[in-house]
Amino acid sequence: MNTKNEMSRRKFMGLAGGAIGMATLASMGIPGWAANKIKIDPESLEYLEKETDVLVIGGGMAGLFAAVKAHDAGAKALMVSKGRLGSSGQTPFAKGIFAYDPSTAAMTLDEFTATVSRSALGSNNSVYTKQMAEHSLARVNELKDWGFFDSALYNKSFSKPINERNIPLLERIVITNLIKENGKIAGAAGFSLDEEKVYIFKAKSVILCTGAGGFKPNGFPICDLTHDGTIMAYNIGAKVTGKEWNDGHPGQATNAAACYDGWHGMFERKPSVNGIEVHHDLGVDLNYMAYTNGNPVQMGPPGAGESNPISGGPYIPAEFNRMSSDKPKDGPEDGKKPPRGERPEKGGKPGEGDAPPGMGGTSVGGSSAGMSIHKSEGLVPINDKCESTIPGLYAAGDALGSYMAGAIYTQIGSSLAGSAVQGAIAGEAAAVYSESANTPVISKAKIKALQEEMLAPLHREAGYSPAWVTQTLQGIMIPNFVLYVKKESMLKAALAYVEELRDHHAPMLRAADLHELRLVHETKNMIATAEMKLKASILRKESRCSHYRLDYPELDNENWQAWINIFKDEEGNMQFEKQAFNSWPNENLFHQI
């Protein structure tokens, strides 16, 4: 028996001394542990400061409209993106955008909003639902003018309004910290992936258009999204929400990482405009089928599945159940337990019916593991202007927990439309806010502390590889019986592992170059997200939309017609509160749990 490897890392470092202990651990062959072969000298990095009225972080659909509308409202806007404009995040994946045209629509705005609310089992924020539809056509018409619908690639059309307005754009900049001074947003800090430069951005207002995130699973093109904006905002005191919901996008057996349009079974097609078609999609139905029937569960075009019929499972309102002929206009009444997971009558099978073609290929739902339903996860808004709980800090698109569609995906194309609409609203609101705000003053001491925190992994002589810690986190979180088909015992078991990563591994992540430095910060954000997801899932003792508990399989309308918000207390501990679905934005209806 090798007694050396049985000694705890913490105890060994305490006995042997920091540098000597870590070097010895590296020689032991501890998994994921290695000496740091530094390729970048942290002391040689150039430090740059930039000032602006409105800082837009993110280069997708929300970021585009945020920067354009802030500029058009008279503000000095600056756009910073971790990737390339229009070519990173989820924006390239989206090939359909919703537009509500009142002259041709089959239902009024109020009827559309009510229909979405029934599908979402009341979990949507009706103000943002209606707002998306009301402004969608105007945003689509602007995109037409920019050439958005002429190509499957978006960089050229996105560049047109940015270049016409001479809006400064910095690409491949990793933002690691938001800066708050005197209770208000003051800017952000980050570094370049391509140049040895560290940036401090001083801004009167900041708009997070950083998208959602995931645990970098194979089979879905979201590997550059890791909830960076949400976690940065949480770390400076913003409230976040929606962590218990889960996106159920299926994956593809071939070309898994391509920008595949699952609804139409096409690769790299030009974007198109979608009309009104409310559904109840991207929940955990496929995951439940896999859990119940075992593998393989073959999914694909309607009628392709040969799985045996199942009973139970996530509840789908009959009105939106494509496999049911009984479609009443109204959802379940408050306080009543609806039948769970009604399957097709008259001998129907899962996979039959009116499901969108091409959903899933041969892969079960959940390849987007770690991402929430569009627009249901992110910063808590305090008004209809996309403003967060921190003055001057706004969010739009999948970075804003607007609950535009609630805890399920209800309208094909609404995600892209919602990002465009919210980006425009946030841009205008941030510009108005900046008119009366002073240019922030950030102390040299704070700037130095931010730089030291940002670059600390480059200084570590040894430590854990971010790739290895990410792989460990994936093994904990991605299993179907942890993230999708939930029960308390498994959630608590996973949480114990995640807390170990949080307390011991995250502080010792090391980086040898700027690419690894990016991975370190992404890994830390994923660990924080995992903790939030597990704890919120434990708290919500019911099943609703894209959250399914085996041990609490029914709706609980008496106790859980509420969103779960998360925030840090003064000691830095994670705290939770309920906010009644219909209370928004009345803060008096918050209830800490």
Side-chain angles (χ1 to χ4, degrees), residues 130-198:
K130 187 175 181 179
Q131 181 190 83
M132 180 277 297
E134 185 176 10
H135 296 277
S136 58
L137 183 60
R139 302 289 80 80
V140 167
N141 287 335
E142 287 178 304
L143 287 168
K144 287 180 180 177
D145 292 339
W146 300 335
F148 176 72
F149 298 99
D150 298 335
S151 171
L153 303 177
Y154 301 158
N155 179 263
K156 184 177 179 180
S157 60
F158 277 33
S159 297
K160 186 175 187 294
I162 297 297
N163 292 337
E164 287 176 347
R165 291 162 174 80
N166 292 317
I167 297 173
L169 168 65
L170 293 174
E171 296 177 315
R172 292 179 58 77
I173 304 295
V174 179
I175 300 297
T176 61
N177 297 82
L178 293 176
I179 305 172
K180 185 174 70 171
E181 289 282 4
N182 301 318
K184 300 177 182 179
I185 197 68
F191 62 91
S192 170
L193 282 168
D194 300 320
E195 302 175 289
E196 296 182 9
K197 295 180 179 179
V198 172

Side-chain angles (χ1 to χ4, degrees), residues 286 289-298 364 480:
L286 304 186
M289 291 170 64
Y291 185 84
T292 303
N293 290 356
N295 288 325
V297 175
Q298 182 177 352
V364 77
N480 192 33

Side-chain angles (χ1 to χ4, degrees), residues 121 123 242-248 280 282-285 313-315 372-373 376 406-408 482-488 491 533-556 560 562 564:
L121 303 179
S123 62
K243 290 296 182 179
E244 71 270 39
W245 316 116
N246 286 298
D247 176 277
H280 185 93
L282 303 183
V284 297
D285 307 16
Y315 167 70
S372 188
I373 292 292
S376 69
I408 200 72
V482 173
L483 194 59
Y484 290 90
V485 183
K486 307 171 185 177
K487 55 186 176 182
E488 188 157 337
L491 293 170
K533 282 190 168 293
L534 292 169
K535 289 183 175 179
S537 296
I538 291 170
L539 284 173
R540 184 173 288 277
K541 291 179 168 54
E542 66 152 3
S543 291
R544 186 183 299 269
C545 295
S546 60
H547 166 78
Y548 183 71
R549 288 281 299 263
L550 277 171
D551 43 358
Y552 295 95
E554 309 288 353
L555 281 171
D556 182 355
W560 283 105
I564 295 177

Side-chain angles (χ1 to χ4, degrees), residues 54 73 75 394 427-437:
V54 180
Y394 298 78
E428 293 175 354
V432 172
Y433 175 89
S434 298
E435 288 180 0
S436 58

Side-chain angles (χ1 to χ4, degrees), residues 391-405:
L393 178 61
Y394 298 78
D398 284 338
L400 181 69
S402 64
Y403 288 107
M404 183 193 78

